[in-house]
Structure formats: structure tokens, C-alpha cells
Amino acid sequence: MSEDAESHDVNRTLGGASGAGRRRRRTSVTPSRAVGSSGRPSARSDEARSGGLEVGVVRLLRWGTLWSDIMAPAVPEPAAAATFESIPVLDVALLSSGKPEDEARFVAELREACHVAGFFYVKNFGLPDGLAERIFAAARDFFALPLDKKRAIEKIHSPHFRGYTVLGEEITAGKKDLREQIDLGFEAPARELAPGEPLFWRLQGPNLWPAEADCPGFRAAVTEFMDAMHGLALRLMEAIALSLELPRDYFSRTFGDEPHTRLKLVRYPPPPPPDAAAAGESVGVGPHKDYGHLAILLQDDVGGLQVLNGAGRWIDATPIPGTAVVNLGEMLEQATGGYYVATVHRVINRSTRERYSVPYFASPRLDTRLEPLPLADKFRAAAAARAHAGANAKYADANPIYPVYGETAWRGLARSHPDVVRKHYPGVEPPPTGPTYV
């Protein structure tokens, strides 16, 4: 999730020391299966003749230029509101009590949490009995495998950017993250691109699974857990719609039909000795924002996740038994013009124990377009009035958010894993170096 997510590395300042820089318009998400009788993006005739993969990259670059032009007269990049000193705990049971006043209470508390911190815990969220224990057991069993068995399903073997990542191969802020992980998603048939189709459609595809004999019950636990997290994400997105005084089902058309969701199982070893740190390795993962809608994290009892408040203090997201940590991504921040915030966070494992976490990233269909949310004037006014200075403002995302979600997702993964691009996308160069997605 958050801490482990497909995220924007935010170790650069927005517009340099002056704080002036690129501004964005308020955006939302609506599904767009653009032009063409198939319901998929159609290609111009010259593009169709030139082949699918290279055209896809050209299309990404064109969209990037277009989005920059569209966003030119936008509102300032929002900072996390002020100086929250703790992360609120929300009780999801209020949504299922059948009492309107309970739902209204949850929605009000959610609105405050999303506006002030962009982070909150949830409790009583309906995880089946024993599933949390099974998913952590699955993670421990997988990471305990010999390296050659893990590398047999390494991400380099997947054009869909799924599979195992070796310790130290992810980079944030130009430094190696001290973690190993496996990336998974909802299963789908691999999609071969027609000429002119965007590259992001290749993010759909099958997972790489460890052999059942090596990790008994791994696939079953992961599948059940992803289904449970998808259900929770839908409930939270419904509550977010209500919190913004939008129809209850406002987001259902982008999340209920082929959402692009991803799950990571992550292991953080104990901190390295000083000589290893001096060689360029960082503990955990560096400061970043997530770029989707929601991230939902189960963490063990070791701790290490920290959230940056507006005064520049790192607030511990201390593990609370029976809870998950939820944070907002940049798509919701932009969708609300900064009324809701995506907050910078990091992971520092200072214990002498391994740390395990299971982040789930809830994002919409790959072809979802970004458009302004139809917010009431009071929300727009509150977003405009809030302080745009503060600690989060200096951790700016130097990469654009593209007008179609899939393009942002593809470029992020390609930037973090250029070896996958070189192997599976012949003739395509990875995106330029710079801030990475992790």
C-alpha cells in the first residue's frame, strides 16, 4: 500500500527553492473506452500502420504533453493540512449497522480524516476469521524459499510487471530500498496489442505463482485476501462518494468493472550494518506518495510506517491489532482539487526483527480518464483556502499524472523495472530516468 506502493518518489522540490512550479487542475475519474466500435481506443491510420508497441510509447508521450497543456491554469499543489499528531481510527461496523445515524457518523469522520491527514486506520472491516494470519503465513513461507525458487518467478519473466523482486532491486529517491517483495493482481488473460493500442493494456495478464508444493496454500490465501480487500475498497469508495455529497454509487462504474488492483507481499529485513548503509542502501522505503485511489495495508507488529504531517514531523502509524491502515493516492487528491490529500510516507525498520506487510492498491479501470469531480462549492472553497505551504509541499511529484490512468500506471512500473521493458517491449525505451515508482 502506501508505504510499499506503486508510488511517486517525492524527493524533489516543486518548482525549486521558490516553491513555484507546475500546477494541476482538479480532476476526477470516469471510465472512457474511447472512440471506436470495439469500445477500445482507436488508432489513427498512420499509427495503425506503424505497429503497436512503439506507437504506444508515442501515445504516452503525446498524452503527457497534452495533459501538461490542459493543466496549465490549475490550482496549487496541496500540502497535507496542518499538524495532525495522530492517525484517526474509523469503525467500519458503523456502515453495516442499518442505522442512518451510524453511517452519517462514519462519513463525517471519514471526511475529516481524508481532508486533514489522508491516512486513517479501519477496524471491524469484515476480514474473514483467520485470513490475516494466513496471508502473513503465506508471506513468511514464500520469502523463506531458496533464492533460486523465488527467482524462478521473478518479475523479469512477466510482461505484466508481476512476480518476485530481489532484495535491493527497487529504488526510491535514488537509493535502494531494503525489502524484497512479490507483486500480484487479479488474474486475466494476457492481451496482445492491436496496432495503435496503448501499452498499458499489457498490464492485464496472469500472475506468476510459486509452485503449490513449495508454498502450500499460497495461491488460495492470496486470492481470498484480494477478494476481501476488493470488497473493503468498494465500501470505502462508496463512503468517500457520500463524504463528498456525491451519489453513493458514483465510483462503482470505475471500480466494479475490471479495476486495476495490485497486491504486494513485502519483507523488510532488519537494518543492515553501517557499512552496508554507507554503500547506498536505505532502510525500508523512502518518502513517497501513492498515485492511485486507495491503498489498504495490513502490517505486522514490528512497525516502521511513518506519515509526514504539515509541520514536517514524521508521525508513526503504530500497528494496532485488528486494524488496517488506509491512505489516499494522488488521483483522489487531484480529483478533489486538494480538499482530500495524498500524504507523504515512508518505512523505517529500526527493530532487530523482520517486518512483513501486505499492501493492496485499489485503482480504477486502466482506461479511466481523469475529469473534474462535480464537487459542491463549499468543498472547492475549502480546498482553495487551505494552506499550500508545509512539509508535504516540498515533496513534490516531478512526474505528470496522465489523462488516462493506465498510462500513469504503465510508465510508473516501466520506470521502476526497465529490465522488464527491454525484455518484453522490443523497440521501446524505458521512460527517462528520474523519480521512480516503487
Side-chain angles (χ1 to χ4, degrees):
M1 117 179 197
S2 63
E3 41 130 14
D4 312 297
E6 300 165 336
S7 56
H8 282 147
D9 168 359
V10 290
N11 202 31
R12 293 188 176 186
T13 58
L14 179 63
S18 68
R22 180 168 49 85
R23 301 183 174 197
R24 295 175 177 163
R25 220 175 257 187
R26 291 182 290 267
T27 56
S28 74
V29 293
T30 55
S32 176
R33 306 175 198 182
V35 287
S37 59
S38 68
R40 298 173 182 161
S42 65
R44 297 175 183 174
S45 58
D46 58 335
E47 292 175 338
R49 289 193 297 269
S50 64
L53 294 179
E54 193 162 353
V55 166
V57 160
V58 172
R59 187 180 292 272
L60 289 179
L61 296 176
R62 286 178 180 169
W63 273 120
T65 302
L66 174 61
W67 193 233
S68 298
D69 293 342
I70 291 172
M71 302 304 277
V75 297
E77 181 80 9
T83 55
F84 64 92
E85 297 295 336
S86 62
I87 299 171
V89 180
L90 277 59
D91 188 352
V92 179
L94 294 172
L95 292 177
S96 53
S97 73
K99 299 178 181 179
E101 61 270 26
D102 285 347
E103 181 180 81
R105 174 185 164 190
F106 182 90
V107 166
E109 292 176 353
L110 177 66
R111 182 186 302 117
E112 179 74 6
C114 293
H115 179 60
V116 174
F119 265 79
F120 53 93
Y121 297 89
V122 290
K123 65 179 182 179
N124 298 321
F125 52 92
L127 201 63
D129 289 344
L131 183 54
E133 291 78 10
R134 291 200 302 278
I135 197 67
F136 279 115
R140 287 190 293 270
D141 290 347
F142 174 76
F143 291 119
L145 291 175
L147 183 59
D148 62 333
K149 288 186 178 292
K150 291 184 285 190
R151 292 201 107 147
I153 58 168
E154 198 169 358
K155 195 172 289 183
I156 188 65
H157 303 305
S158 170
H160 321 296
F161 296 91
R162 303 187 188 194
Y164 173 67
T165 301
V166 177
L167 182 71
E169 287 195 359
E170 289 277 343
I171 296 175
T172 304
K175 297 182 179 181
K176 294 180 179 179
D177 296 328
L178 192 63
R179 60 178 179 173
E180 59 179 330
Q181 62 193 35
I182 181 170
D183 288 71
L184 303 139
F186 284 130
E187 289 278 339
R191 177 165 173 170
E192 294 299 325
L193 297 185
E197 281 195 303
L199 292 179
F200 63 69
W201 286 116
R202 293 194 74 192
L203 296 179
Q204 291 184 344
N207 292 312
L208 299 180
W209 298 99
E212 181 67 18
D214 293 330
C215 275
F218 180 91
R219 182 167 183 167
V222 166
T223 301
E224 184 180 0
F225 185 79
M226 287 193 69
D227 287 342
M229 290 298 99
H230 180 58
L232 175 58
L234 292 177
R235 295 179 75 189
L236 291 176
M237 290 306 301
E238 180 179 282
I240 285 172
L242 293 174
S243 75
L244 296 169
E245 299 182 1
L246 298 172
R248 182 184 296 272
D249 63 349
Y250 187 85
F251 295 105
S252 63
R253 60 184 184 270
T254 54
F255 280 84
D257 178 21
E258 298 180 352
H260 180 65
T261 56
R262 297 180 77 90
L263 178 78
K264 291 177 184 276
L265 306 183
V266 187
R267 172 186 170 267
Y268 297 87
D275 57 338
E281 293 183 337
S282 64
V283 175
V285 60
H288 65 277
K289 293 183 180 183
D290 301 330
Y291 62 64
H293 275 69
L294 292 178
I296 305 171
L297 173 77
L298 283 195
Q299 55 179 339
D300 64 11
D301 62 351
V302 172
L305 174 61
Q306 296 181 319
V307 182
L308 188 66
N309 74 6
R313 290 189 293 274
W314 288 102
I315 307 301
D316 290 329
T318 303
I320 301 175
T323 69
V325 182
V326 181
N327 72 282
L328 307 187
E330 288 184 286
M331 290 184 73
L332 269 180
E333 181 177 65
Q334 293 185 38
T336 62
Y339 181 72
Y340 284 174
V341 292
T343 306
V344 172
H345 49 283
R346 68 182 183 183
V347 176
I348 303 291
N349 182 9
R350 293 192 175 96
S351 79
T352 59
R353 298 163 51 200
E354 297 177 317
R355 176 182 188 267
Y356 291 90
S357 67
V358 187
Y360 173 88
F361 307 101
S363 298
R365 286 179 52 93
L366 287 168
D367 59 355
T368 298
R369 290 187 178 274
L370 306 179
E371 296 177 355
L373 270 175
L375 296 184
D377 288 344
K378 62 182 178 182
F379 296 126
R380 296 186 184 278
R386 76 183 309 157
H388 295 299
N392 270 261
K394 71 178 181 179
Y395 288 93
D397 162 32
N399 295 304
I401 296 290
Y402 289 83
V404 177
Y405 169 70
E407 297 175 13
T408 298
W410 187 91
R411 287 182 66 88
L413 291 165
R415 187 185 299 278
S416 279
H417 303 282
D419 53 342
V420 174
V421 178
R422 294 187 183 104
K423 179 174 180 178
H424 296 286
Y425 295 79
V428 175
E429 286 297 317
T433 58
T436 60
Y437 299 92
V438 295

